[in-house]
Amino acid sequence: MFSHVMVGTNDLEKSKSFYDPLMATLNVPPSFVDGHRMFYMSKSGVFAVSAPIDGQPACHANGGTIGFACDSPEQADAWHAAGVANGGTTCEEPPGVRAGGMGKMYLAYLRDPDGNKLCAMHRMPA
């Protein structure tokens, strides 16, 4: 459904230092930097980080979350650990299984250095 997702940043280098190790846990190569923005390319889509084109400060959406698909709970844990080790902050509950109307999911939440809310998700077998 989506071709790409982009979040804003106020410090591209700091974001690169955060996202490169985070994306490596998902087997996504380091970003391609193009001026004021960077792109993480995968066979399922593109994730991008950009300084705002309008010159105003970047800010995060209240209630917004960007989710990354994981192959296992262990991959979600590695993603979470890489994020915390590289300037992210944990948020929500600790990583773990949560049950809801869409079944059981293993979820791990972070905020990036600019406050964008991210989630690693693995759908548990029924």
Side-chain angles (χ1 to χ4, degrees):
M1 179 187 306
F2 301 105
S3 64
H4 70 282
V5 172
M6 183 178 287
V7 297
T9 184
N10 292 305
D11 186 334
L12 196 64
E13 286 302 314
K14 188 174 184 179
S15 287
K16 184 167 177 49
S17 295
F18 172 79
Y19 279 108
D20 277 2
L22 189 73
M23 295 302 190
T25 67
L26 304 177
N27 300 314
V28 175
S31 67
F32 160 71
V33 178
D34 179 23
H36 66 280
R37 56 195 174 179
M38 60 187 179
F39 299 92
Y40 294 90
M41 314 296 275
S42 79
K43 59 185 170 190
S44 61
V46 177
F47 179 74
V49 181
S50 176
I53 294 171
D54 66 4
Q56 298 297 313
C59 59
H60 58 277
N62 186 21
T65 302
I66 297 170
F68 294 92
C70 290
D71 294 328
S72 67
E74 293 78 16
Q75 187 179 37
D77 285 340
W79 177 93
H80 188 266
V84 171
N86 290 283
T89 55
T90 190
C91 62
E92 302 293 330
E93 298 173 18
V97 176
R98 296 181 179 83
M102 297 180 71
K104 290 185 180 180
M105 295 174 278
Y106 190 94
L107 302 172
Y109 287 93
L110 290 171
R111 288 203 181 266
D112 76 3
D114 287 289
N116 296 297
K117 188 176 174 184
L118 312 172
C119 177
M121 182 194 75
H122 171 70
R123 291 192 185 278
M124 303 298 287

